[in-house]
Each structure stands twice: as C-alpha cells, then as structure tokens.
Amino acid sequence: MRSSGEIVTVAGMNLRPRELVSLEDPTGRLIAAECAGSAGRNVSVAMLDRGTVAAGARVVATGRIAQAPSGRALLGRVLDGLGRPMDGLGDLQGVRWSPGHAEPPHP
C-alpha cells in the first residue's frame, strides 16, 4: 500500500469501479474509501473518511457501491457525506437507499 494525500494505492486486489472498501488505521479504526481506478493489480482508492493509513494496513472489500438515503424521515436530520447520522438521533428508519452514482432522472 502506498499513500499520496487522499488517494491510496493498494496492490493485489481486484475491485470494481466505485466499490467501497475499508482501510484499517494504526488504531484499528476502519476508514471508508472508494475504488477510483485500477492499473493491472494496483488499485487506487479515494479515502472518504479522515484518517491515517500506513503500508501493510488491512484493506477489506465490501462488495458494495456508495448509496445515499432519501425520504421524509431525513427531514431535520444531520448526515455526513456517507449518509451516516451525525445528530445523535439514532439510526435512519424508513428511508430508501439509492445508488450514489446513477443516471439522473428524466426531466
């Protein structure tokens, strides 16, 4: 693994474009990242959370792509960029999850 700012190069993984991965920081905390591209057996992942990773860090493929919540249950809620609640009001209930990367709806 090699890190350059917010982009981390991971060797030996086969990921789909935009697939989410978790990188483990030196304290064991998981940092969300997304596959940004690949070249041979090297994959570039963009970190979606703040954190520090080092060579040899554990990388776990999730098999999922980023999703965003929608629905009336979001009114008044505060979420981070990954759709996780930041307001202390508990988990999201009654929301619909849609792909974060999708074609826009027809006008």
Side-chain angles (χ1 to χ4, degrees):
M1 176 185 305
R2 187 177 75 233
S3 177
S4 173
E6 301 294 318
I7 301 292
V8 176
T9 301
V10 178
M13 289 194 83
N14 187 16
L15 300 173
R16 295 176 299 150
R18 301 182 180 132
E19 184 175 345
L20 296 175
V21 298
S22 295
L23 309 170
E24 191 173 294
D25 79 1
T27 68
R29 185 177 75 90
L30 296 179
I31 300 168
E34 179 181 52
C35 177
S38 63
R41 294 291 291 160
N42 292 332
V43 178
S44 295
V45 297
M47 292 175 56
L48 301 174
D49 276 336
R50 290 183 179 251
T52 303
V53 293
R58 188 170 69 106
V59 181
V60 179
T62 66
R64 299 180 299 119
I65 61 168
Q67 294 186 322
S70 62
R72 295 181 83 52
L74 294 177
L75 292 173
R77 298 297 306 264
V78 179
L79 309 177
D80 69 7
L82 296 173
R84 300 177 297 204
M86 297 178 59
D87 52 17
L89 298 177
D91 292 336
L92 298 175
Q93 303 294 325
V95 296
R96 190 179 100 228
W97 291 87
S98 301
H101 299 281
E103 292 294 319
H106 187 276

